[in-house]
Amino acid sequence: MPAKAINKLGELERAVMDQVWSRGEAGEPSVSVREVHDALSASRDLAYTTVMTVMGRLAVAGLLVKARSGRAYLYAAAGSREELTASTMLGHLHGMAPEDRRSAMLHFLGDASPEEIADLKAALAEVESRQAGRSPGRH
């Protein structure tokens, strides 16, 4: 699990991650600081070194993977938005006592719409199906 949870990201960190994820979804698995800086600078006054520092910190936190390319570095997301969100949620839930975890989930679901409940039921059925397909002893 990354050291930094998605809900702990600052506004600029989230904007950087959004750029990296968006480019990955568009078929660009890795991006340079220059590419992220250029994209973010279109809507804000931002120094190149600030973006470089943020991306370096996100790599240290385990959210980005950094690889040398010539004199520069290219960065890729260590996981998808969904994987990071799930990891953050599980991190919070695993730290709770079972009765508190159940109560937290009930409060969370109490605010869910009928469509969200239906999505949750479908996801649960898919997980149960996957688990039923595993043979004993395999994980």
Side-chain angles (χ1 to χ4, degrees):
M1 183 165 100
K4 193 160 201 168
I6 195 166
N7 62 332
K8 302 284 186 184
L9 293 180
E11 189 271 330
L12 181 55
E13 291 171 317
R14 187 176 294 275
V16 167
M17 289 303 300
D18 284 342
Q19 280 297 313
V20 175
W21 280 320
S22 294
R23 293 195 179 236
E25 291 163 0
E28 299 175 50
S30 57
V31 297
S32 68
V33 172
R34 173 65 57 206
E35 291 169 316
V36 173
H37 174 262
D38 290 349
L40 294 177
S41 292
S43 62
R44 62 180 90 195
D45 185 27
L46 201 55
Y48 174 88
T49 54
T50 300
V51 176
M52 183 174 62
T53 299
V54 168
M55 291 179 79
R57 288 181 181 163
L58 289 169
V60 168
L63 300 176
L64 293 177
V65 177
K66 177 168 106 170
R68 194 140 182 92
S69 176
R71 293 180 16 175
Y73 285 98
L74 293 179
Y75 294 83
S80 69
R81 296 173 210 259
E82 297 81 6
E83 290 167 332
L84 181 56
T85 300
S87 175
T88 298
M89 292 168 64
L90 286 172
H92 287 294
L93 290 174
H94 285 303
M96 302 174 92
E99 61 275 3
D100 293 336
R101 185 172 46 242
R102 180 179 168 86
S103 179
M105 286 190 278
L106 286 171
H107 280 286
F108 171 76
L109 295 171
D111 291 335
S113 70
E115 294 82 16
E116 290 166 331
I117 297 291
D119 288 343
L120 181 62
K121 286 179 180 178
L124 192 54
E126 185 177 328
V127 169
E128 289 172 341
S129 175
R130 287 182 196 168
Q131 289 177 347
R134 291 184 187 164
S135 61
R138 280 184 56 193
H139 296 286

